[in-house]
Amino acid sequence: LTGCQGCKLCKSRSTIVFGVGNPRAKLMVVGEGPGEEEDKQGIPFVGRAGQLLTKMLAARGVNFDRERDCYTANVVKCRPEKNRNPEPDEVAACNPFLMAQIETLDPLVILTLGNFASQTLLATKEGITKLRGRAYPYRSGVIVPTFHPAFLLRNPGESYKRMAWDDLKLARQEYDRLSGR
Ligand code: URA
């Protein structure tokens, strides 16, 4: 076994999935943890949810190019078996890596995907349906919570899609406002 052994996820993972994207980006996307495909490739959001994420960022009125504008990471860097939720000791063990990524990137906007990432970074137990729809001051920027693309894939239909699009447009507005554009 090589690499981090900071928590029990090191026993089941194939690859550490640290982060991907432009290290100078000012938009950071934070998901929950690597899925099966991510665990194989070592890259966050490369599976079906990742493809939807790329499309959501590129949507009309949002216009983020994922590769150019964005850095993507997860709350935990190693895949929990069968995609179960990460446990508190795993989140705690991985937290210094996420915090180092945030400090290094110093993003204007952090888009948190789903309950898990939103609750972790906003330090709340409130659900995503209540949290989404607004921007929360965080460090020198904001956190914009929205639905996880995997949730959108499981719950097709215009209403969730519309809310996600509204959140992404809010992320764009905040990004433009904070970058003085
Ligand atoms: N879901 C996540 O939360 N993160 C990934 O990297 C892939 C799927």
Side-chain angles (χ1 to χ4, degrees):
L1 195 68
T2 55
C4 182
Q5 296 180 38
C7 82
K8 58 191 178 300
L9 294 178
C10 68
K11 299 192 185 111
S12 51
R13 69 152 186 254
S14 316
T15 321
I16 297 172
V17 182
F18 189 69
V20 71
N22 183 348
R24 281 173 296 280
K26 289 293 164 187
L27 170 67
M28 180 168 179
V29 175
V30 179
E32 178 171 325
E36 187 177 11
E37 196 55 36
E38 289 77 20
D39 179 63
K40 278 186 201 152
Q41 295 191 34
I43 306 168
F45 284 98
V46 287
R48 276 186 76 212
Q51 288 162 27
L52 178 55
L53 171 65
T54 305
K55 278 178 30 187
M56 288 162 66
L57 290 167
R60 176 164 46 90
V62 182
N63 298 329
F64 287 119
D65 179 286
R66 196 174 151 201
E67 227 176 288
R68 178 194 64 202
D69 300 326
C70 175
Y71 183 86
T72 311
N74 285 301
V75 172
V76 295
K77 313 306 188 205
C78 297
R79 184 188 181 206
E81 322 79 308
K82 298 178 187 156
N83 300 344
R84 65 160 170 76
N85 282 347
E87 291 170 3
D89 60 315
E90 297 158 357
V91 175
C94 220
N95 193 57
F97 298 112
L98 180 62
M99 286 307 137
Q101 287 172 308
I102 293 173
E103 275 163 33
T104 305
L105 210 65
D106 198 20
L108 300 173
V109 175
I110 302 179
L111 186 71
T112 54
L113 301 176
N115 274 319
F116 201 83
S118 305
Q119 290 170 346
T120 301
L121 281 181
L122 291 170
T124 174
K125 296 212 185 313
E126 199 67 79
I128 188 63
T129 311
K130 285 239 174 97
L131 291 173
R132 61 151 298 277
R134 50 167 293 203
Y136 300 79
Y138 182 79
R139 292 170 43 95
S140 53
V142 293
I143 288 177
V144 176
T146 193
F147 295 116
H148 196 293
F151 171 87
L152 296 173
L153 289 169
R154 287 195 305 272
N155 297 275
E158 284 310 307
S159 60
Y160 288 129
K161 226 164 115 179
R162 172 70 202 222
M163 287 187 265
W165 185 46
D166 287 342
D167 296 336
L168 270 291
K169 284 188 294 184
L170 175 62
R172 163 54 77 183
Q173 272 172 28
E174 288 294 305
Y175 181 96
D176 289 348
R177 180 179 68 80
L178 289 161
S179 59
R181 285 206 285 161

